[in-house]
Each structure stands twice: as C-alpha cells, then as structure tokens.
Amino acid sequence: MADRIVLHIGTMKTGTSFVQNVMVRNADAYERAGYLYVAKDFSAQARATRKVLAAPNHPERHGEWQALAQEARAFQGETAIISMEFLSFARPHQIAAYLAPFEGMEVRVIVSLRDQARVIPAQWQSYARLLGTDAWPTYLRRIDPQRQRGDDAQSHAARTFWRAQSVVPMIERWGDHPGVSRLDVVTVPAPPAPDHVLWERFCAAVGMPADLADLSAYHGNTSLGYASCEVVRRLNPLLAGVPGHIYRPGLRPIVRDSLKPRKGIDGKPVLDAGAADFALRSNAAIREAVAGLPLYGDLADLPVAGNLADAPRRAPGPDRGLVHDAAVAMWERCAAEPGVGAGRRPRRLSRILADIARMLPESEGWQEAVRTRGWTRS
C-alpha cells in the first residue's frame, strides 16, 4: 500500500483549482512515478468530502470517502494525494471522521496560504456568485470584527467569509490532531509570479518531482471583473428562493459567455483603509500560527506592513457605465437562447436586470438543471 496519504486542505482562494487541474491532467504520469491523485477526479473528491462534512457521526454515509481511502491504501506507490479545500472547514469531530479510514498510514496535511488582501476580493466574488446581495463596501464592514455593527457578525456575508477564512483555527485543528503526522505550509506567490512557482512549491511539500507536469494546458480559473460581479450581485435579489443546485448550473453558461470576457475592462474592487488594515492584521496572525512549521514559499507573501494612507476611506463602487454595459451583455446572451421570448431590450438598468431574471428560467442551462436535479418554484 502507499506509504502515506497527503491531504491538501486548501484554504479557499489559494490556487487549489490550479493544483487540482494540474493533478487531473497529469495524473497518469504521476501515478507511474509513484504518486496517485486519488480517483483522478476532483468531483469525486468533492462529493466524498461534502458527505463526511454533512454527517460526520454517520459512517454508513461515508462510503465515497471510504472508497477513496481504499484506493489510496491499495496503491502500490509512495504517496496518495487528495486535494479538496472543503476539508479546511472541518471541526475536530469531522477531522476524526476523515482520518479514521487512514489509520495505520502516515497522514500529512498541506495548507496553502495567500495574502488576505487578495483573498478578500476573491471571497466577495464567490459570495456574490452564490446569491450574496451585499455591495462591496458593505461586505468589507460586515467581515471585519473591528468594524461590525448591529447584526453584522450574524450576516450571510460574515458567516460565509469566516467559514472559509478562519485560517488560524483551521491550522490549529488539523495540526494538533494526533492522527496527523505533519502539517506543511505552502504560500501562494504574489503577482506577477508565473503559475509554475506555486506548482513547484506544492510538489516540494508533497515530496514529488514538479517537472512531470505539463502546465501548458492550464487556462486558469477565470474570475469576473468588478462591474460584472456587481451585475450578478444586483440580480440575486430577483432570484431569491432559487436553490443553489439550480442557480449555479443555470447561471454558469450565461456568465461564462457574457461576463467573463469582460474581465479586462470591468475594473477591480479596491480595499478601503479599514479592510487593508484588516488584511495586514490577518496576515500577521497567520504568520504567527505557522511559525516553526515546514514552509514552502516565503512569509513575505503574507505582508504585515503597508502604506494605509494610499487606501481610500471608503471603497469605491464600480463604474456605472461599465455595470450597464455588463448587464446589456448578459441580457443579449439570455436573449440569444433558443425558445426565450426576449422582446425589446429595456434601457434602464433595473429593467434590464428584471428582464434577465425573467429569461433565465427559460434558458437551456437552467432547464437542464431543473430536469436533472429537480425543483419546482412555488
């Protein structure tokens, strides 16, 4: 059986999609060299992880995770690898459930870390693309414990952010578990570092050669520009009540075709002074938590000092003209769907968004999601 299992637990927004994509595309080459990307399928790892996370005290529901463990144990090589950022969400009793099938094996955990000043905008985008409704400036206030007011700490924005970005407790929970033999840290290099730098750091942490991978086929996990993300955010209240298993696949092809090509012109969200300070404070806490742990990268990738005088007092909103243009692009993509009764495009932004919300349920991707996953709107 494999000598060890490596669990790459993320965290979120730290290049995990890149690592997983490279592993999938180069799985056969690495398997021949003695390194197994378990199941050779990110989706299989994600499903198995979710099921344990949802029911840690019900091992009868852990069949898919146990199957991954069995494949790892049966592998006649050096190392088996699972890379799934949802593992970082695990509490101690959930970690115990994840580790149980690997009893008797050496279990090593890799945690990847990124400058929080880059993580925060990425996390807001994920929030907005999963039915979040808070504008960027509001989001920045809600997630920072030093600036929260009223019920901000219980808001959807704060809860989802801290579930994904409670980095110090994540490191402590996994690193302190007796079933984990070692926890290694990989830092994500700051731009403009090429992709191969992160891959080389990850491979060094695993203990496998980096040069077996062909990185040329990787095209990146393209994010949205500020104006396009704002369009999605403003659309979300009009889609209230739509479950995520319909929203995500229903919206994905429309966003991919109409909004992702606009990334270069739609601008980027800017941290206000309070959020910039929050990012520096968070980096400092993370640095302290990983002191003394094996490090692949550079703690300078997590800056703890910066010129806050350059940051605006309040984060600016996106350019209104670009928001309107992005909404028009999305409307035109919806209108081009077969069978959609588009009619004449409205001129005002609010009416364009309302028309998009009307057309989306008639789109092919949305209808396919309803057919395969099931949902009836009341």
Side-chain angles (χ1 to χ4, degrees):
M1 74 176 192
D3 296 329
R4 70 180 64 88
I5 178 73
V6 170
L7 301 179
H8 176 213
I9 67 170
T11 56
M12 300 284 286
K13 310 303 173 187
T14 61
T16 51
S17 294
F18 165 70
V19 168
Q20 293 151 2
N21 186 287
V22 175
M23 287 300 303
V24 168
R25 291 176 180 273
N26 297 275
D28 291 341
Y30 276 98
E31 183 174 0
R32 289 192 294 270
Y35 305 92
L36 175 71
Y37 183 60
V38 182
K40 300 182 183 179
D41 179 13
F42 165 76
S43 297
Q45 294 190 7
R47 285 194 306 272
T49 301
R50 286 192 184 101
K51 290 187 177 180
V52 176
L53 202 62
N57 298 323
H58 295 274
E60 69 277 8
R61 302 180 190 177
H62 301 174
E64 292 183 55
W65 182 258
Q66 290 164 358
L68 298 182
Q70 289 168 5
E71 182 181 349
R73 284 182 173 279
F75 178 56
Q76 298 299 308
E78 182 177 336
T79 302
I81 303 162
I82 293 175
S83 175
M84 217 292 109
E85 57 269 36
F86 296 163
L87 289 169
S88 65
F89 300 167
R91 301 287 177 166
H93 66 295
Q94 294 163 322
I95 292 174
Y98 284 124
L99 296 180
F102 299 108
E103 185 176 0
M105 295 181 70
E106 178 190 359
V107 178
R108 292 175 57 179
V109 172
I110 295 176
V111 58
S112 44
L113 304 173
R114 184 185 184 194
D115 178 9
Q116 288 289 298
R118 296 166 60 205
V119 166
I120 293 169
Q123 202 67 57
W124 175 69
Q125 180 161 151
S126 291
Y127 160 82
R129 294 176 68 177
L130 287 171
L131 288 165
T133 58
D134 283 335
W136 172 241
T138 303
Y139 182 84
L140 293 178
R141 187 198 77 227
R142 288 190 189 277
I143 66 172
D144 183 354
Q146 291 192 7
R147 295 202 290 169
Q148 289 170 341
R149 56 177 186 255
D151 61 355
D152 281 352
Q154 287 74 48
S155 67
H156 179 56
R159 286 186 289 105
T160 53
F161 178 84
W162 285 108
R163 186 187 192 212
Q165 296 302 326
S166 291
V167 178
V168 172
M170 292 170 182
I171 293 168
E172 293 172 346
R173 287 194 295 262
W174 281 95
D176 292 346
H177 196 284
V180 174
S181 62
R182 171 170 165 165
L183 188 145
D184 295 339
V185 176
V186 172
T187 60
V188 178
D195 289 337
H196 71 80
V197 177
L198 175 58
W199 177 246
E200 289 164 0
R201 291 177 178 183
F202 175 77
C203 288
V206 174
M208 66 184 186
D211 58 4
L212 297 181
D214 176 7
L215 304 185
S216 62
Y218 180 71
H219 301 296
N221 187 14
T222 307
S223 58
L224 299 183
Y226 191 8
S228 287
C229 197
E230 176 70 2
V231 167
V232 175
R233 183 194 72 79
R234 294 192 188 191
L235 182 65
N236 286 339
L238 305 177
L239 301 174
V242 176
H245 70 274
I246 301 298
Y247 174 90
R248 287 188 294 270
L251 209 59
R252 188 178 299 123
I254 305 293
V255 168
R256 180 194 64 220
D257 296 344
S258 63
L259 300 183
K260 284 195 173 184
R262 297 180 51 84
K263 183 180 179 181
I265 61 174
D266 272 348
K268 297 179 180 180
V270 176
L271 298 180
D272 60 28
D277 179 63
F278 171 52
L280 295 175
R281 286 186 278 115
S282 298
N283 286 342
I286 293 168
R287 278 199 189 194
E288 183 177 350
V290 302
L293 294 176
L295 174 67
Y296 300 86
D298 193 329
L299 287 182
D301 295 323
L302 308 175
V304 296
N307 187 1
L308 299 180
D310 292 339
R313 184 172 177 272
R314 178 175 172 80
D319 181 275
R320 293 182 181 181
L322 291 176
V323 173
H324 186 276
D325 292 347
V328 168
M330 193 174 188
W331 185 94
E332 290 176 346
R333 172 61 178 82
C334 288
E337 283 280 309
V340 170
R344 186 175 180 179
R345 175 172 60 81
R347 300 178 68 178
R348 291 176 56 185
L349 177 60
S350 60
R351 292 183 178 178
I352 294 173
L353 293 172
D355 216 27
I356 292 172
R358 176 189 63 81
M359 291 189 288
L360 273 173
E362 301 174 25
S363 67
E364 192 171 296
W366 195 285
Q367 290 292 322
E368 176 65 16
V370 170
R371 282 194 300 271
T372 58
R373 306 181 183 214
W375 178 61
T376 301
R377 189 162 196 167
S378 57

